[in-house]
């Protein structure tokens, strides 16, 4: 081997790896710090110079046992699950129709994307007034309806990408074998995109789970979702920081775990069949 | 132009040993074809010569230079890929000029050479188009143009015709050979198609399992396969292989015996007979005919001037190729007499597959 | 049972549930919103809703807060998306190197920020960057650097950096997938042809990645217009109105001042703006495909 070339390559590669490690640290440090803070005794929370201390579970106990955070957690779960459930049922057949029959032409896919991108500002005013008139403010239903406005298009968009990859032969075989069109869809096509459905469901769940804007305006009191509750730690009184850290971790850990499962499906879903790489 | 030498070349992908102690000298100006079943290491060998893969150990010499540690760009080789590897966003002219632009060749020089290459390949009218607007055959020409424009020492072809339809493939074979004569370049050509190898190569390298099985001219490979694998791989329909043993100069199988003169070998052997070396009695000089055997004719697959005839000789399945003129003596479901051409019998040691002379 | 081919075909029947849902939660609010935008519609005076035509829209022309919010948003969107695109592409190239070990590990971790609820990200960084409580100012202070992250000069920039932390992973995800799906042989051909790394990047990689880059820009750009949580969590628009973005301003007008009509009008201007941008990018994309 050519020594100097080899040496130079090793050097360059090492430098590039170093950049990645730095990026890794930038990503991980905030998690680490929040985790550290959640374990700090109350008197140390406001002191950034303290890195080593005997950990205390006071904050965790306080938030999980003596606060309303578990209730808000449950609210978030209920809202996200209901939203995803409804969205999947209405989106799957439509996505299949768009994918297989190109229903509505190229404009359909474009409008789905546009709906997904709609600024929430446009919808919040009428949704608020509507819920106000229907006396549905501060109920789960109001938030679910609001979340459907973006979760449904996203899931539809997501599933189009997966349906695009199902060979047409599969359902034609089923139809020749005596299934109706809908049976062919329900019993043959749907099961074959199961990973896609799961990924779409998880992604939709994450989107609903993460929303604060709609929930902030449409919910209050007992119907608050977790992000709205977290926003309530805004006051930044020193004593609250440790609890805030716990609440943040409670909100982000489930989502981070879910993210590892859906990462590899995400691209196909986000591309929505718009990009043929 | 240059000769290529591979000395004790080894290549591992992780734990997989894909090329095993490969030694090969490719002569200056030759058209050498690497052929073998998929996974035999032929494409890897080509990519090792190109420098797209680094060799695990050994040495590669192109011309007088040891290129083992050199990057592909410093080896002065050009490569034509199976899927052409054209840049979809560039015009044909820019695709051909890419290598020259990368080397910062002056603009007027680039234009001159692109036009010369284009005229050799008869694609001058396509220079302004994008690859998407071309047919498969035209894309193929552009890919070749990209190689010849650089005046490389060596041309490497990786199954370049396998994406073309059958008729175009045959045309392009002829054209590649013509081009080879014009350029007087050293060509290394990989294919899995033994017919393509036979018609194009002036030397054929047959590989299997990462090892070279035989190197030779098409004639040598066809008439004197040095290994049972080579015998079975080259020729279509494939050679009939009959298991048996040699005793006192006689081939004995459970289906028939054939007295042979010559081989002093004793033990288990495989007798190879090409389908085209099976005749009706009387069509060969008497001293070349083996004793007459009776065979049952299963079906007749007429190809035109010849027919492939699957036979049962005492329950042994064989295939014969019979001239259309003799077919009237043969009937499906009937029986026929056959003899083998003594001069064209191949014997292989059953233990290691090597040829017995 | 024999099913007749009907006038109302299967393909249309399949989209009925979606169409109905979107009609209720999307189309109706959109229309209602437009109706509201044409009225003087205040939550404090619901008995006195008056039709005023385009007055709400015309009024925006002379509303300095609206223009300020719009300007802040545009600065934010272009700054954040630009940085995210460049960093995302760089990281994607780094992760795409064949010599890299632990690629999946790096990728999984580097992608995590995009999955977190933005309000948590906002609070996290507010805490991390806080002058008295924050660990970053403390560390910087140790090496003699003092920065007021949320002061009048830097606040918007800090918000951009937070967005970059959270959303560069999104660009990375799309670009990495794009790079991985490019065929290998054009790059091998470039190697054999003697193209340098930079020449290959400019002449081969970037042109081949163009469609992916465009889609990423569209999705991320439009999403960035909706920035709200960081502002809500950290600055509430301040100091002064230096970080007041359009969504935050609309929120304020609608739910602090209860001027629904005006808020709806602003939302429609925003919609027009984003649709216009989508349309332009869509045109660029389809023009590209046609070539």
């Amino acid at each position: 081997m050519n020594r100097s070339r080899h040496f130079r390559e090793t050097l360059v590669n090492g430098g590039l790896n170093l950049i990645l490690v730095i990026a890794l640290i930038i990503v991980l440090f905030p998690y680490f710090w929040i985790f550290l803070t959640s374990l700090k005794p109350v008197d140390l929370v406001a002191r950034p110079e303290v890195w080593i201390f005997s950990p205390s579970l006071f904050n965790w106990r306080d938030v999980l046992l003596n606060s309303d955070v578990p209730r808000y957690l449950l609210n978030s779960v209920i809202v996200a699950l209901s939203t995803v459930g409804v969205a999947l049922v209405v989106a799957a057949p439509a996505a299949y129709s768009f994918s297989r029959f190109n229903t509505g032409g190229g404009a359909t896919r474009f409008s789905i994307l546009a709906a997904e991108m709609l600024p929430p500002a446009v919808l919040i005013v009428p949704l608020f007034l509507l819920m106000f008139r229907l006396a549905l403010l501060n109920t789960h239903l109001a938030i679910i309806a609001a979340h459907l406005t973006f979760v449904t298009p996203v899931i539809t968009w997501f599933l189009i990408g997966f349906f695009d990859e199902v060979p047409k032969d599969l359902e034609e075989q089923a139809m020749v074998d005596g299934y109706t069109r809908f049976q062919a869809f329900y019993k043959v096509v749907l099961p074959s995109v199961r990973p896609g459905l799961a990924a779409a469901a998880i992604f939709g769940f994450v989107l609903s789970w993460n929303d604060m804007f709609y929930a902030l305006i449409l919910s209050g009191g007992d119907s608050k979702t977790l992000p709205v509750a977290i926003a309530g730690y805004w006051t930044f009184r020193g004593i609250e920081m440790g609890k805030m850290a716990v609440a943040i971790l409670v909100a982000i850990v489930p989502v981070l775990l879910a993210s590892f499962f859906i990462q590899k499906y995400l691209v196909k879903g986000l591309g929505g069949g718009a990009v043929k790489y | 132009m240059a000769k290529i030498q591979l000395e004790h070349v080894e290549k591992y992908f992780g734990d997989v040993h894909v090329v095993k102690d490969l030694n090969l000298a490719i002569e200056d100006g030759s058209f050498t074809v690497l052929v073998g079943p998929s996974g035999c290491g032929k494409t890897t060998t080509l990519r090792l010569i190109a420098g797209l893969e680094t060799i695990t150990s050994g040495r590669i010499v192109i011309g007088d230079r040891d290129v083992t540690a050199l990057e592909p760009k410093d080896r002065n080789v050009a490569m034509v890929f199976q899927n052409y590897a054209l840049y979809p966003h560039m015009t044909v002219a820019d695709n051909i000029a890419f290598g020259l632009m990368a080397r910062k060749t002056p603009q007027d020089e680039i234009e001159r050479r692109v036009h010369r290459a284009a005229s050799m390949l008869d694609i001058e009218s396509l220079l302004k188009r994008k690859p998407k607007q071309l047919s498969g055959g035209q894309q193929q020409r552009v890919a070749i143009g990209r190689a010849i424009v650089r005046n490389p020492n060596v041309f490497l072809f990786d199954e370049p015709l396998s994406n073309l339809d059958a008729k175009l493939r045959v045309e392009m074979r002829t054209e590649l050979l013509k081009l080879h004569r014009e350029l007087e370049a050293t060509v290394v050509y990989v294919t899995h198609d033994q017919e393509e190898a036979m018609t194009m190569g002036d030397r054929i390298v047959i590989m299997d399992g990462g090892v070279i099985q035989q190197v030779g001219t098409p004639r040598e490979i066809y008439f004197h396969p040095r290994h049972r694998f080579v015998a079975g791989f080259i020729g279509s329909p494939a050679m009939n292989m009959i298991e048996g043993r040699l005793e006192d100069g006689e081939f004995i199988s459970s289906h028939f015996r054939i007295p042979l003169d010559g081989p002093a070998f004793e033990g288990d052997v495989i007798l190879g007979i090409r389908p085209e070396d099976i005749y009706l009695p009387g069509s060969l000089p008497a001293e070349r005919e083996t004793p007459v055997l009776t065979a049952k004719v299963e079906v007749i697959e007429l190809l035109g001037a010849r027919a492939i005839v699957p036979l049962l000789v005492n329950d042994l399945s064989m295939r014969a190729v019979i001239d259309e003129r003799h077919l009237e003596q043969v009937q499906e479901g009937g029986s026929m007499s056959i003899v083998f051409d003594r001069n064209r019998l191949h014997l292989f040691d059953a233990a290691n597959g090597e040829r017995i002379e | 049972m024999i099913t007749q081919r009907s006038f109302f075909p299967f393909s249309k029947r399949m989209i009925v549930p979606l169409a109905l849902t979107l009609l209720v939660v999307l189309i109706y609010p959109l229309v209602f919103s437009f109706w509201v935008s044409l009225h003087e519609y205040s939550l404090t005076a619901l008995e006195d809703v008056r039709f005023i035509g385009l007055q709400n829209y015309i009024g925006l022309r002379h509303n300095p807060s609206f223009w300020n919010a719009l300007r802040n948003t545009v600065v934010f969107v272009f700054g954040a998306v630009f940085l995210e695109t460049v960093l995302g592409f760089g990281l994607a190239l780094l992760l795409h190197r064949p010599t890299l070990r632990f690629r999946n590990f790096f990728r999984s971790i580097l992608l995590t920020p995009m999955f977190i609820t933005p309000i948590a990200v906002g609070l996290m960084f507010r805490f991390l960057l806080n002058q008295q409580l924050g660990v970053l100012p403390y560390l910087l202070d140790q090496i003699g650097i003092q920065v007021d992250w949320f002061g009048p000069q830097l606040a918007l920039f800090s918000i951009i950096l937070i967005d970059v932390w959270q959303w560069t992973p999104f660009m990375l995800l799309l670009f990495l997938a794009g790079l991985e799906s490019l065929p290998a042989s054009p790059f091998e051909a470039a190697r054999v042809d003697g193209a340098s790394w930079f020449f290959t990047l400019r002449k081969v990689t970037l042109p081949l990645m163009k469609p992916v880059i465009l889609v990423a820009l569209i999705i991320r750009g439009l999403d960035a217009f909706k920035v709200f949580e960081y502002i809500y969590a950290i600055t509430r628009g301040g100091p002064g109105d230096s970080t007041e973005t359009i969504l935050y301003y609309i929120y304020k007008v609608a739910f602090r001042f209860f001027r629904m009509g005006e808020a709806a009008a602003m939302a429609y201007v925003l919609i027009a703006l984003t649709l216009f941008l989508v349309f332009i990018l869509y045109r660029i994309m389809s023009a590209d495909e046609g070539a």
Side-chain angles (χ1 to χ4, degrees):
Chain A
M1 274 309 268
N2 184 328
R3 272 285 168 77
S4 75
R5 196 190 87 172
H6 187 70
F7 180 71
R8 215 181 60 223
E9 265 173 21
T10 315
L11 207 68
V12 169
N13 248 321
L16 296 177
N17 287 342
L18 187 69
I19 298 177
L20 276 180
V21 171
I22 291 172
L24 206 64
I25 292 173
I26 292 175
V27 165
L28 287 179
F29 185 76
Y31 306 145
F32 163 75
W33 192 251
I34 290 294
F35 180 65
L36 208 66
T37 304
S38 79
L39 293 175
K40 279 186 175 181
V42 177
D43 52 325
L44 294 180
V45 167
R47 292 176 55 193
E49 72 277 14
V50 180
W51 291 54
I52 296 161
F53 52 89
S54 63
S56 144
L57 286 178
F58 169 80
N59 292 317
W60 284 90
R61 222 175 290 128
D62 203 50
V63 170
L64 295 182
L65 301 178
N66 303 328
S67 79
D68 283 333
V69 165
R71 181 209 300 262
Y72 303 141
L73 187 75
L74 185 66
N75 285 340
S76 275
V77 171
I78 292 172
V79 167
L81 281 183
S82 317
T83 306
V84 168
V86 175
L88 273 182
V89 170
V90 303
Y96 171 75
S97 175
F98 296 144
S99 164
R100 184 61 80 239
F101 309 106
N102 204 14
T103 312
T108 315
R109 292 185 186 209
F110 176 60
S111 354
I112 299 274
L113 183 62
E116 181 181 333
M117 293 297 158
L118 212 56
V122 193
L123 299 172
I124 189 60
V125 169
L127 280 173
F128 177 82
L129 294 174
L130 191 66
M131 296 307 162
F132 179 71
R133 288 274 162 82
L134 297 173
L136 286 173
L137 280 183
N138 302 340
T139 65
H140 291 152
L141 208 60
I143 315 174
I144 293 167
H147 286 185
L148 280 176
T149 61
F150 58 92
V151 173
T152 317
V154 167
I155 289 191
T156 309
W157 179 252
F158 215 91
L159 289 178
I160 290 176
F162 285 92
F163 283 129
D164 278 351
E165 298 202 345
V166 179
K168 219 174 168 166
D169 298 358
L170 204 63
E171 70 210 68
E172 290 180 344
Q173 174 70 54
M175 275 157 33
V176 171
D177 287 347
Y179 280 6
T180 65
R181 263 209 172 281
F182 185 76
Q183 282 171 327
F185 161 71
Y186 185 69
K187 293 191 173 155
V188 177
V189 179
L190 264 193
S192 70
V193 294
R194 211 178 286 144
L197 287 173
I202 293 174
F203 191 57
F205 186 94
V206 168
L207 286 181
S208 167
W209 179 271
N210 283 351
D211 164 72
M212 186 199 70
F213 185 76
Y214 286 113
L216 177 73
I217 293 158
L218 298 175
S219 78
D222 288 349
S223 71
K224 267 194 253 178
T225 60
L226 199 50
V228 181
I230 294 176
Y233 288 98
W234 188 77
T235 50
F236 254 58
R237 276 173 290 147
I239 190 166
E240 296 281 296
M241 306 287 20
K243 293 179 197 161
M244 179 188 85
V246 174
I248 286 177
L249 286 172
V250 169
I252 70 177
V253 167
V255 171
L256 288 185
L257 293 181
S259 80
F260 295 125
F261 291 105
I262 57 170
Q263 277 187 11
K264 66 173 175 163
Y265 299 109
L266 216 49
V267 173
K268 205 192 291 170
L270 290 172
V275 193
K276 299 275 191 277
Y277 293 125
Chain B
M1 308 303 113
K3 63 184 194 315
I4 305 169
Q5 270 169 289
L6 305 177
E7 295 166 15
H8 300 293
V9 169
E10 303 266 1
K11 176 66 184 174
Y12 284 86
F13 286 120
D15 293 336
V16 187
H17 202 173
V18 266
V19 174
K20 298 170 187 161
D21 192 27
L22 192 105
N23 289 283
L24 180 64
I26 293 168
E27 284 163 38
D28 187 5
S30 72
F31 197 115
T32 301
V33 178
L34 304 181
V35 65
S38 59
C40 71
K42 56 189 190 297
T43 295
T44 306
T45 305
L46 191 77
R47 291 167 63 86
L48 289 172
I49 298 172
L52 289 170
E53 310 283 353
T54 35
I55 65 178
T56 310
S57 68
R59 212 163 86 96
I60 297 179
V61 179
I62 297 178
D64 302 317
R65 280 196 311 160
D66 183 339
V67 299
T68 313
L70 294 185
E71 280 285 307
K73 65 185 169 66
D74 302 321
R75 298 189 180 197
N76 200 15
V77 299
M79 184 154 167
V80 176
F81 291 80
Q82 180 173 3
N83 52 13
Y84 319 139
L86 299 181
Y87 305 118
H89 55 281
M90 292 184 189
T91 62
V92 167
D94 285 346
N95 261 293
I96 296 178
F98 184 86
L100 300 175
M101 291 195 293
R103 287 159 199 269
K104 306 213 163 52
T105 314
Q107 191 58 42
D108 51 335
E109 163 102 14
I110 292 181
E111 263 170 48
R112 205 168 46 74
R113 283 163 72 172
V114 168
H115 276 282
R116 203 176 48 130
S119 77
M120 275 175 92
L121 293 162
D122 220 12
I123 49 172
E124 277 173 300
S125 59
L126 308 176
L127 285 175
K128 295 226 156 46
R129 301 216 194 147
K130 293 259 176 87
K132 236 191 268 177
Q133 299 162 294
L134 305 182
S135 69
Q138 290 168 332
Q139 292 187 24
Q140 177 66 72
R141 283 163 197 266
V142 177
I144 295 169
R146 210 167 61 181
I148 61 179
V149 76
R150 284 184 33 219
N151 280 331
N153 286 336
V154 174
F155 286 94
L156 306 172
F157 288 89
D158 184 12
E159 309 223 11
L161 305 184
S162 60
N163 287 356
L164 300 179
D165 65 51
K167 182 162 172 284
L168 206 52
R169 202 171 338 169
V170 174
E171 283 173 26
M172 280 307 286
R173 278 186 202 162
T174 321
E175 221 165 306
L176 276 177
L177 287 176
K178 243 169 59 193
L179 206 61
H180 172 237
R181 267 199 301 279
E182 267 176 67
L183 296 167
E184 298 173 335
T186 311
V187 170
V188 185
Y189 186 105
V190 163
T191 180
H192 64 270
D193 179 348
Q194 53 95 15
E195 187 186 310
E196 198 168 292
M198 293 292 281
T199 51
M200 296 192 74
D202 45 44
R203 279 214 321 164
I204 296 178
V205 178
I206 298 193
M207 294 184 68
D208 184 40
V211 177
I212 293 180
Q213 297 291 352
Q214 188 168 353
V215 181
T217 64
R219 282 191 74 80
E220 283 166 1
I221 300 257
Y222 185 80
F223 291 113
H224 292 279
R226 281 220 305 272
H227 192 277
R228 182 190 164 176
F229 170 80
V230 176
F233 186 76
I234 297 291
S236 170
M239 187 185 276
N240 296 296
M241 300 283 186
I242 302 135
E243 289 174 21
R245 57 182 201 284
L246 270 186
E247 269 177 37
D248 299 330
E250 185 174 26
F251 172 80
I252 303 166
S253 79
S254 52
H255 311 286
F256 50 76
R257 298 163 160 245
I258 301 173
L260 304 166
D261 42 39
F265 188 91
E266 299 269 314
D268 288 346
V269 295
I270 289 161
L271 175 68
I273 306 160
R274 291 201 184 277
E276 51 271 40
D277 295 329
I278 299 177
Y279 295 89
L280 292 148
S283 32
L284 282 172
E287 70 278 10
R288 279 172 64 182
E289 285 186 3
T290 57
V292 177
L293 296 169
T294 307
K296 189 164 171 280
V297 178
E298 297 197 296
V299 288
I300 297 173
E301 299 164 9
L302 187 65
L303 298 178
R306 304 177 314 156
I308 299 174
V309 182
L311 301 168
L312 275 181
V313 185
N314 293 334
D315 293 337
L316 172 75
S317 288
M318 295 183 74
R319 279 162 184 272
V321 171
I322 304 291
D323 199 295
E324 177 265 336
R325 282 167 303 185
H326 304 306
L327 277 181
E328 55 204 42
Q329 305 170 39
V330 180
Q331 270 188 339
E332 288 191 3
S335 60
M336 67 184 285
S337 303
I338 53 166
V339 296
F340 308 141
D341 183 345
R342 236 176 229 293
N343 292 359
R344 298 278 172 85
L345 296 180
H346 307 269
L347 276 175
F348 304 100
D349 186 340
N352 57 18
E354 276 174 25
R355 184 181 186 85
I356 301 165
E357 290 302 336
Chain C
M1 194 182 79
I2 293 174
T3 327
Q4 291 289 325
R5 289 181 183 232
S6 76
F7 176 69
F8 190 46
F10 177 72
S11 61
K12 299 245 165 50
R13 270 180 280 150
M14 293 285 273
I15 60 173
V16 167
L18 179 75
L20 287 179
T21 309
L22 292 187
L23 192 69
V24 173
V25 300
L26 208 69
I27 308 296
Y28 170 70
L30 268 179
V31 175
F32 184 32
S33 187
F34 188 65
W35 182 85
V36 170
S37 79
L38 300 177
H39 290 72
E40 188 173 312
Y41 196 122
S42 176
L43 214 52
T44 50
L46 277 179
E47 65 289 344
D48 188 26
V49 173
R50 278 180 297 134
F51 179 79
I52 53 168
L54 293 174
Q55 279 307 312
N56 281 326
Y57 292 89
I58 293 163
L60 290 179
R61 281 176 49 204
H62 309 291
N63 181 344
S65 297
F66 172 74
W67 288 106
N68 170 65
L70 207 56
R71 193 170 47 245
N72 285 341
T73 310
V74 169
V75 170
F76 171 83
V77 169
F78 278 86
V81 174
F82 173 76
L83 286 175
E84 285 155 16
T85 309
V86 173
L87 289 174
F89 204 86
L91 285 173
L93 288 175
L94 285 178
L95 279 179
H96 191 55
R97 285 173 305 148
T99 54
L100 181 70
R101 297 168 65 194
F102 311 117
R103 179 183 291 117
N104 284 339
F105 168 77
F106 275 112
R107 198 200 50 213
S108 310
I109 300 291
L110 289 180
L111 289 184
T112 53
M114 63 180 280
F115 296 101
I116 299 175
T117 177
I119 187 74
V121 174
L123 285 172
M124 237 157 57
F125 276 95
R126 181 168 181 231
F127 180 49
L128 248 58
L129 297 176
N130 185 284
Q131 284 294 2
Q132 286 86 43
L133 314 174
V135 63
L136 230 74
Y138 162 74
L139 289 176
L140 288 175
D141 195 45
Q142 297 297 301
I143 52 171
I145 301 174
Q146 276 161 348
V147 187
D148 184 4
W149 290 97
F150 299 120
Q153 275 87 40
L154 275 186
L156 189 60
F157 177 70
S158 299
I159 302 275
I160 287 178
L161 286 188
I162 294 170
D163 197 76
V164 168
W165 184 86
Q166 177 155 36
W167 294 111
T168 300
F170 176 82
M171 298 307 227
L172 169 62
L173 176 77
L174 286 194
F175 293 157
L176 193 59
L179 287 175
E180 277 166 3
S181 63
L182 294 181
S185 55
F187 293 92
E188 294 182 333
R191 265 180 85 192
V192 176
D193 280 349
S196 66
W197 179 85
F198 188 68
F199 190 82
T200 311
L201 178 71
R202 211 159 47 88
K203 291 283 187 180
V204 184
T205 319
L206 282 175
L208 290 179
M209 284 286 285
K210 204 165 122 193
V212 183
I213 294 174
L214 272 168
V215 165
L217 282 178
I218 291 181
I219 299 183
R220 186 77 268 283
L222 293 184
D223 207 41
F225 265 98
K226 305 184 208 163
V227 61
F228 175 80
E229 287 91 342
Y230 310 141
I231 315 291
Y232 185 85
I234 303 172
T235 63
R236 302 260 158 133
D241 56 6
S242 65
T243 60
E244 195 158 84
T245 59
I246 190 73
L247 191 53
Y248 191 79
Y249 183 62
I250 293 175
Y251 162 79
K252 228 167 70 175
V253 169
F255 299 102
R256 290 277 170 277
F257 310 149
F258 303 119
R259 298 203 300 264
M260 297 293 181
E262 203 182 321
M266 281 191 285
Y268 261 93
V269 172
L270 184 58
I271 252 197
L273 196 70
T274 45
L275 274 184
F276 179 67
L277 282 176
V278 174
F279 180 71
I280 288 180
L281 284 165
Y282 182 72
R283 282 295 294 272
I284 296 174
M285 250 170 75
S286 6
D288 200 53
E289 262 166 39

